[in-house]
Amino acid sequence: AAGFFDVAPRTRRQQPVVRQLTAMVGTSSRLYEQLVEFLRQLFTKSRTEYYCTLRSEVLMALHDGEVSAVCAQEPCHKFVWCLDACIRERCVDEKRTKELSTFLDLRPHQEEMRGDLAMIVHDPFVVHLLSLSILSTFEDLAKEHSLPRSCHKLKVLTRLLNLGLNAVNILESSEFSEPRLDSNLLLSSFPSMVSLYTDNILRSLSTEMQ
């Protein structure tokens, strides 16, 4: 049987609640904005990740239905579409990393958008994707004998995950600056993780040579 995270995004978007909400929105940007605000409030009050998932699934269902009248007005549309593609492909490649990174460094007049980005990343399917991608990057760094602090992809993945994990605080406080990332992660914790992967690779080679 397929695990929780193995269900394809398009399959999840066939759930009755997603279809009902999508039908309710129709082609109205105003109804869509009201729905997003309602989901935002529900998430902030209940701290239930399901509302984060639902927010993205409704938008992508509208995307699948080519409802351009709504999608073109949604500033986070490309961000959600990019993450959806990564979840479908089960990886975040260099191209997707570059696309996602453009949403991290917002201009002052765009900063309020960070609350929505954080809610989108708080979706368990996105957290799962980013977490696995970070672990995969550790393994790649170990094979390449590279340091975490020099890896742009790792920095982007970590900033995104940190943003998502702080979603409730950002929305509750209406403080939309990017949450501070612990510098010890790149300088201490992550190198330790890469060392573990390096040790594992060396043990495997040693076993093969015996």
Side-chain angles (χ1 to χ4, degrees):
F4 178 75
F5 293 108
D6 295 327
V7 181
R10 277 185 180 268
T11 302
R12 287 191 277 111
R13 294 199 283 275
Q14 298 306 311
Q15 296 178 78
V17 65
V18 177
R19 297 175 72 174
Q20 288 166 9
L21 290 174
T22 304
M24 181 192 75
V25 169
T27 60
S28 172
S29 291
R30 183 169 172 272
L31 286 176
Y32 172 76
E33 289 169 6
Q34 290 177 341
L35 173 62
V36 168
E37 177 58 29
F38 184 54
L39 292 175
R40 193 184 294 122
Q41 290 176 6
L42 287 173
F43 167 59
T44 305
K45 290 178 181 178
S46 69
R47 305 192 177 207
T48 303
E49 295 89 347
Y50 171 72
Y51 297 114
C52 304
T53 305
L54 194 56
R55 185 204 192 289
S56 294
E57 288 183 346
V58 168
L59 177 57
M60 285 308 300
L62 292 167
H63 171 90
D64 294 343
E66 299 182 352
V67 186
S68 57
V70 174
C71 295
Q73 299 298 317
E74 166 60 270
C76 300
H77 175 223
K78 185 178 179 182
F79 184 72
V80 174
W81 175 84
C82 188
L83 285 172
D84 185 79
C86 291
I87 292 170
R88 187 175 63 249
E89 296 161 5
R90 300 189 180 190
C91 75
V92 185
D93 60 22
E94 293 300 329
K95 179 183 176 182
R96 302 293 187 205
T97 299
K98 187 175 181 179
E99 291 174 350
L100 291 169
S101 68
T102 63
F103 289 89
L104 285 171
D105 300 312
L106 301 175
R107 296 174 181 175
H109 70 278
Q110 298 175 309
E111 287 215 323
E112 195 169 330
M113 180 180 166
R114 191 170 279 119
D116 284 315
L117 297 176
M119 182 176 174
I120 290 162
V121 178
H122 197 79
D123 173 1
F125 291 95
V126 178
V127 171
H128 180 255
L129 167 75
L130 295 175
S131 300
L132 289 183
S133 297
I134 287 172
L135 292 176
S136 175
T137 304
F138 287 155
E139 185 172 7
D140 291 340
L141 290 172
K143 291 176 181 177
E144 297 165 3
H145 307 291
S146 299
L147 294 173
R149 65 173 178 267
S150 63
C151 180
H152 174 68
K153 179 180 179 179
L154 184 59
K155 291 177 183 176
V156 171
L157 294 172
T158 306
R159 287 175 66 190
L160 283 169
L161 186 58
N162 187 50
L163 180 65
L165 296 178
N166 282 279
V168 173
N169 292 337
I170 292 172
L171 292 171
E172 277 187 340
S173 66
S174 294
E175 174 55 56
F176 298 111
S177 57
E178 184 177 352
R180 184 183 292 268
L181 190 64
D182 187 347
S183 60
N184 285 326
L185 283 175
L186 288 171
L187 297 176
S188 178
S189 302
F190 284 0
S192 297
M193 289 296 296
V194 173
S195 293
L196 289 174
Y197 276 92
T198 301
D199 290 344
N200 190 47
I201 291 170
L202 292 174
R203 277 196 298 271
S204 296
L205 289 172
S206 177
T207 302
E208 290 174 5
M209 292 173 66
Q210 288 178 1

